[in-house]
């Protein structure tokens, strides 16, 4: 019997802090048959001590629900962990040096893979040329995705392996990018792919992530990649994997069911990304004379949403620019006119990223019951007066991006994620990014951000009974070493009672920028331990 199929132990955790709405002052918890069985005080814990398989002395540690990362590309994350990572390269010259060293160290790789370059942060602001990459690799095939994964630079040798492209200079976008990415990923052996997936899931578990939503699709990975990941997650102890497959309409519905996906959703592209000038805008980019790229129109959105709703599956779309978000809203509303608003709301369709919103589209999300699957780390990385958003859009438009507070006020369900490897798996950093957004009016409380990154991910897949430590909920939790707990509001506009300990609101770590983030000591999924920090 494998570790992932053996019956989970009955465990008593005690002498810590348990983050639970069932008891805001709880210090102990009992887990039985993979579920939370009881939450309460230390004094009452003695009654359970003789009837459990294991007692965990928390020694003051904090227990929280495990995080859910609602948007992950697992294999790409693993390849970034095990391959060439250019996200920290401070300049073009430094990036080329890293490419040169990587190529020399991997003489046996059929195709060299790297990720994370961001020319917008480099002096001079230009990406590497094909000629420079040819020189750095000695003429070998190389694929280097930009940090947003919506464009890439490649070598001549990779172009030669890709049918129909010929010789192309500059970053590749849209169909050309999809073609070279397919060529590059096809060179990965099944063993390399499994190793990458295992590395990504292990990293997630070490960060207190109990569930990831894999956003796959024919333009992103492959069917073998998707089914291999779901199989791996089912056979080995680790985070849960919920799969979405991004292919439109009836074909997407059939594929989703055959492949084991919960929806024809995720990165079904309506547009691209801001950094690559491919997000679709109503008004032109400030630093380019065009409005980006549109992949689907409102009629196509309506067809997909209608088909998915009738089939009992979630639909979902990748939409970043304001024109793309408008397209989604118009399409979903057309589907609601055909099927009825109640059926559309009940289906809990999703929009990934949803960065450029207006008061009108926020109200439409609330009306249509759309979940906003968003990535606060995008603002931390690209927001601010001098960030990439301001370069692409100008400061005024940039300040409107990622309006988390307005979404919450409107009643739009939020599910937080990383879009890893675009930004790293980093759940507490994600909560911090939402609570300390570059634009103050978009900030939310730590408690609201934490909820969006735990319970929000479960609600995004239709589960309202999980992501919280109460009796009957799945025993997905993490144990943390952290400093004193507080109830942290973003600013003085939040009602004072919510920050008063007498309110009975469970505390969370102080995430003020500059303070150390909590350290994960243990992660448990369905009552089974999937990570223990060495030495603990």
């Amino acid at each position: 019997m494998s570790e992932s199929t053996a019956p989970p132990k009955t465990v008593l955790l005690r002498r810590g802090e348990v983050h639970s709405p069932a008891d805001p002052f709880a210090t102990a918890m009992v887990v039985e048959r993979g579920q939370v069985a009881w939450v309460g005080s230390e004094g009452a814990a003695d009654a359970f001590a003789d009837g459990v398989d294991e007692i965990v002395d928390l020694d003051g540690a904090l227990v929280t629900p495990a995080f859910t990362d609602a948007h992950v590309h697992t294999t790409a994350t693993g390849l970034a962990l095990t391959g060439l990572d250019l996200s920290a390269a401070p300049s073009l010259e430094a990036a080329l040096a890293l490419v040169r060293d990587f190529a020399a160290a991997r003489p046996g790789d059929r195709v060299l893979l790297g990720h994370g370059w961001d020319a917008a942060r480099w002096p001079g602001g230009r990406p590497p040329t094909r000629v420079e990459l040819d020189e750095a690799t000695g003429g070998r095939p190389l694929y280097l995705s930009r940090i947003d994964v919506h464009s890439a630079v490649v070598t001549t040798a990779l172009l030669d392996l890709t049918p129909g492209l010929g010789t192309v200079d500059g970053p590749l976008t849209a169909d050309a990018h999809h073609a070279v990415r397919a060529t590059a990923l096809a060179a990965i052996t099944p063993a390399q792919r499994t190793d990458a997936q295992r590395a990504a899931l292990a990293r997630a578990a070490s960060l207190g992530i109990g569930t990831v939503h894999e956003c796959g699709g024919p333009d992103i990975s492959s069917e073998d990649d998707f089914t291999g990941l779901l199989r791996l997650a089912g056979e080995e102890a680790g985070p849960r994997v919920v799969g979405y497959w991004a292919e439109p309409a009836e074909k997407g519905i059939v594929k989703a069911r055959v492949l084991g996906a919960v929806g024809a959703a995720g990165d079904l592209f309506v547009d691209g990304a801001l950094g690559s000038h491919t997000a679709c805008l109503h008004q032109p980019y400030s630093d380019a004379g065009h409005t980006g790229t549109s992949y689907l129109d409102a009629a196509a959105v309506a067809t997909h949403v209608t088909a998915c709703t009738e089939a009992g599956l979630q639909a979902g779309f990748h939409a970043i620019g304001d024109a793309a978000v408008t397209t989604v809203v118009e399409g979903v509303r057309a589907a609601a006119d055909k099927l009825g608003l109640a059926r559309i709301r009940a289906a809990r369709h999703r929009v990934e990223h949803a960065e450029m919103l207006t008061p009108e589209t926020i109200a439409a999300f609330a009306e249509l019951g759309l979940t906003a699957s968003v990535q606060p780390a995008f603002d931390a990385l690209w927001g601010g007066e001098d960030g990439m958003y301001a370069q692409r859009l100008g400061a005024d438009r940039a300040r409107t991006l990622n309006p988390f507070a307005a979404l919450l006020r409107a009643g739009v369900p939020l599910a937080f994620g990383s879009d890893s490897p675009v930004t790293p798996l980093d759940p507490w950093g994600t909560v911090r990014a939402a609570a300390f957004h570059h634009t103050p009016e978009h900030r939310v409380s730590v408690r609201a951000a934490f909820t969006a990154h735990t319970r929000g991910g479960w609600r995004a897949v239709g589960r309202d009974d999980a992501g919280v430590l109460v009796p009957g909920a799945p025993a997905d939790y993490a144990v943390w070493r952290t400093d004193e707990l507080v109830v942290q509001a973003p600013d003085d506009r939040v009602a004072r009672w919510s920050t008063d300990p007498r309110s009975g609101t469970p505390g969370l770590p102080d995430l003020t920028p500059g303070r150390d983030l909590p350290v994960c000591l243990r992660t448990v999924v369905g009552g089974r331990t999937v990570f223990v920090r060495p030495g603990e």
Side-chain angles (χ1 to χ4, degrees):
M1 185 175 290
S2 72
E3 184 180 354
S4 61
T5 58
K9 295 179 179 178
T10 299
V11 179
L12 167 63
L13 300 94
R14 62 187 308 178
R15 288 206 325 117
E17 302 278 353
V18 179
H19 184 91
S20 172
D23 183 346
F25 305 108
T27 61
M29 180 171 77
V30 174
V31 171
E32 186 175 20
R33 292 191 294 274
Q35 294 183 322
V36 177
W38 173 83
V39 175
S41 66
E42 183 61 30
D46 288 336
F48 297 94
D50 291 337
V52 300
D53 300 316
E54 181 182 1
I55 297 176
V56 176
D57 186 341
L58 295 168
D59 191 25
L62 170 67
V63 182
T64 71
F67 286 100
T68 293
D69 192 313
H71 194 118
V72 175
H73 303 288
T74 307
T75 302
T77 296
L79 291 171
L81 290 170
T82 60
L84 175 57
D85 182 1
L86 297 176
S87 60
S91 66
L92 171 59
E93 293 73 22
L96 288 170
L98 289 169
V99 170
R100 196 171 290 111
D101 293 344
F102 185 75
R106 306 289 283 263
D109 287 7
R110 288 184 286 177
V111 172
L112 299 166
L113 299 172
H115 168 73
W117 62 269
D118 186 0
R121 297 161 61 191
W122 292 343
R126 76 166 180 88
T129 66
R130 180 169 52 83
V131 172
E132 288 170 331
L133 294 174
D134 286 348
E135 186 278 327
T137 61
R140 295 169 63 191
L142 167 74
Y143 168 86
L144 288 181
S145 53
R146 191 187 180 279
I147 191 167
D148 60 8
V149 202
H150 283 267
S151 60
V153 289
V154 301
T155 55
T156 304
L158 188 65
L159 289 174
D160 290 344
L161 294 173
T162 306
L165 279 187
T167 301
V168 185
D169 286 308
L172 303 175
T173 62
D175 290 342
H177 175 226
H178 296 158
V180 294
R181 177 164 58 189
T183 299
L185 294 180
I188 300 172
T189 67
Q192 284 177 307
R193 185 173 63 213
T194 299
D195 287 346
Q197 292 170 346
R198 194 174 280 124
L201 294 177
R203 173 63 65 89
S206 75
L207 295 168
I209 296 170
T211 302
V212 299
H213 295 180
E214 166 68 13
C215 293
D219 293 330
I220 301 162
S221 52
S222 70
E223 294 180 20
D224 286 345
D225 180 280
F226 189 81
T227 56
L229 173 64
L230 296 182
R231 185 168 54 251
L232 179 71
E235 292 173 352
E236 298 185 6
R240 302 173 191 266
V241 176
V242 177
Y244 287 96
W245 185 257
E247 210 163 345
E250 294 297 339
K251 184 177 182 181
I253 291 168
V254 172
K255 279 288 178 65
R257 286 182 166 151
V258 168
L259 299 177
V262 300
D267 276 333
L268 183 51
F269 296 119
V270 179
D271 68 345
L274 291 164
S276 295
H277 292 101
T278 52
C280 190
L281 313 181
H282 285 305
Q283 301 299 322
Y285 286 88
S286 296
D287 61 349
H290 61 83
T291 57
T293 305
S294 174
Y295 297 116
L296 295 176
D297 60 17
V301 170
T303 297
H304 184 66
V305 171
T306 299
C308 287
T309 304
E310 291 180 327
L313 284 176
Q314 278 184 296
F317 305 91
H318 163 119
I320 286 179
D322 50 2
V325 174
T326 297
T327 294
V328 171
V329 164
E330 290 175 350
V332 177
R333 184 168 281 132
D337 290 343
K338 180 177 181 179
L339 300 180
L341 180 60
R343 287 186 70 184
I344 296 298
R345 288 179 58 87
R348 302 193 190 190
H349 302 307
R350 296 171 54 142
V351 184
E352 309 299 317
H353 315 309
E355 293 199 74
M356 294 185 71
L357 293 154
T358 64
E360 292 75 23
T361 50
I362 290 172
F365 272 44
E367 174 196 359
L368 298 166
L370 297 175
T371 294
S373 170
V374 294
Q375 293 75 41
F378 288 4
D379 174 74
L381 182 60
W382 297 316
E385 297 296 313
D386 301 319
M388 182 272 287
Y389 290 152
Q391 294 176 32
R392 295 289 185 268
L393 304 172
D396 288 344
R397 274 195 295 177
R399 277 191 289 270
T400 69
L401 264 61
N402 301 298
F404 305 134
L407 286 162
L408 280 179
R409 283 195 301 271
V412 176
L414 295 185
F416 281 178
S418 62
D419 198 10
S420 180
V422 176
T423 57
L425 300 168
D426 180 16
W428 285 114
T430 295
V431 173
R432 172 186 277 171
F436 295 92
H437 195 294
H438 275 101
T439 305
E441 57 261 39
H442 298 333
R443 294 173 181 170
V444 298
S445 69
V446 168
R447 180 186 179 193
F450 178 79
T451 299
H453 214 350
T454 49
R455 198 169 192 180
W458 283 94
R459 286 173 165 168
V461 296
R463 288 283 300 272
D464 293 333
D465 61 334
V468 61
L469 300 181
V470 297
D476 288 24
Y477 62 90
V479 180
W480 308 91
R481 182 192 302 124
T482 188
D483 294 330
E484 181 182 1
L485 305 183
V486 298
V487 180
Q488 198 164 14
D491 57 42
D492 287 340
R493 291 173 297 162
V494 175
R496 279 292 177 189
W497 69 264
S498 68
T499 63
D500 187 329
R502 291 171 297 179
S503 69
T505 301
L508 285 166
D510 185 347
L511 301 184
T512 303
R515 295 186 68 97
D516 291 338
L517 292 174
V519 174
C520 185
L521 306 179
R522 179 185 294 238
T523 305
V524 175
V525 175
R528 298 181 178 89
T529 298
V530 299
F531 168 77
V532 176
R533 180 160 297 280
E536 295 296 331

